[in-house]
Amino acid sequence: MAAIIHLMQTAMPPRASSSKTAIISGTLAGLLAAALGATYVYQHAPQERPAAAAAEKVAARQEEQAVTALMALPELKAWAAHIEKVSQGRAHGAVMLTAPEQRMVEGQSYYQLSFFENTPEAAHLWESFLVTPDGKHILVDDTASDEVLSLERWRKESAPMDRVAIQ
């Protein structure tokens, strides 16, 4: 910076000072300082690590696979259709991630997802599930009994389709 100021002083002959010249000089000095500061900040800012970005993309894709697998269950399809019909479109069925971390069950990692009835006033929990990142294994997290059930056992014991049976 001193070299630039020295170069400006030697290249330009001195002239009478005016307030306009002082304002222009101050503005240029401020812009130069801002540019140097921005360069410093950019060079020293942490750069996004490619491995971290790739891991985030994989995690997002796996979460999407788990949600898609869960929404493919006939029970959830029927529940969602029932909610839409009964509420005349004012409420919807929705699957949401209910815990940021995955849960381990018998050495296998699972996303913790829940099916909700989403109304304008509130979200009402219908059921909680555990789904592997590839979506191939789904368990029911029975919070009432604090047990993890297989889909077969859940279907047999809870009869989830009865929740939307036409009376």
Side-chain angles (χ1 to χ4, degrees):
M1 176 120 162
I4 294 172
I5 294 172
H6 176 70
L7 181 61
M8 288 173 61
Q9 289 173 343
T10 57
M12 297 193 298
R15 60 181 147 154
S17 178
S18 73
S19 61
K20 187 176 181 181
T21 304
I23 291 171
I24 292 171
S25 297
T27 302
L28 288 174
L31 289 172
L32 180 60
L36 289 172
T39 301
Y40 177 83
V41 168
Y42 176 77
Q43 289 175 347
H44 293 87
Q47 301 298 318
E48 183 176 339
R49 297 181 311 250
E56 287 178 19
K57 286 181 183 178
V58 168
R61 186 172 50 250
Q62 288 177 338
E63 185 180 322
E64 184 178 323
Q65 284 177 295
V67 169
T68 300
L70 187 57
M71 282 302 296
L73 290 179
E75 292 86 355
L76 272 65
K77 287 180 178 180
W79 291 355
H82 175 77
I83 290 167
E84 289 273 337
K85 182 178 178 184
V86 169
S87 71
Q88 297 176 340
R90 290 187 309 274
H92 309 280
V95 170
M96 293 178 16
L97 187 66
T98 50
E101 68 283 340
Q102 292 185 20
R103 181 169 158 191
M104 295 296 288
V105 176
E106 296 179 1
Q108 176 68 49
S109 212
Y110 289 85
Y111 282 105
Q112 300 177 73
L113 302 167
S114 292
F115 181 85
F116 289 90
E117 178 179 349
N118 191 13
T119 69
E121 298 81 31
H124 305 281
L125 175 67
W126 277 48
E127 200 68 69
S128 295
F129 299 89
L130 300 171
V131 184
T132 56
D134 62 8
K136 293 183 179 179
H137 301 290
I138 300 173
L139 301 172
V140 179
D141 189 11
D142 187 355
T143 55
S145 67
D146 202 27
E147 284 187 88
V148 175
L149 310 173
S150 67
L151 281 177
E152 295 76 26
R153 181 176 167 198
W154 173 66
R155 287 172 173 148
K156 187 178 190 180
E157 293 178 7
S158 298
M161 292 300 270
D162 289 353
R163 292 180 85 170
V164 295
I166 305 290
Q167 312 299 345

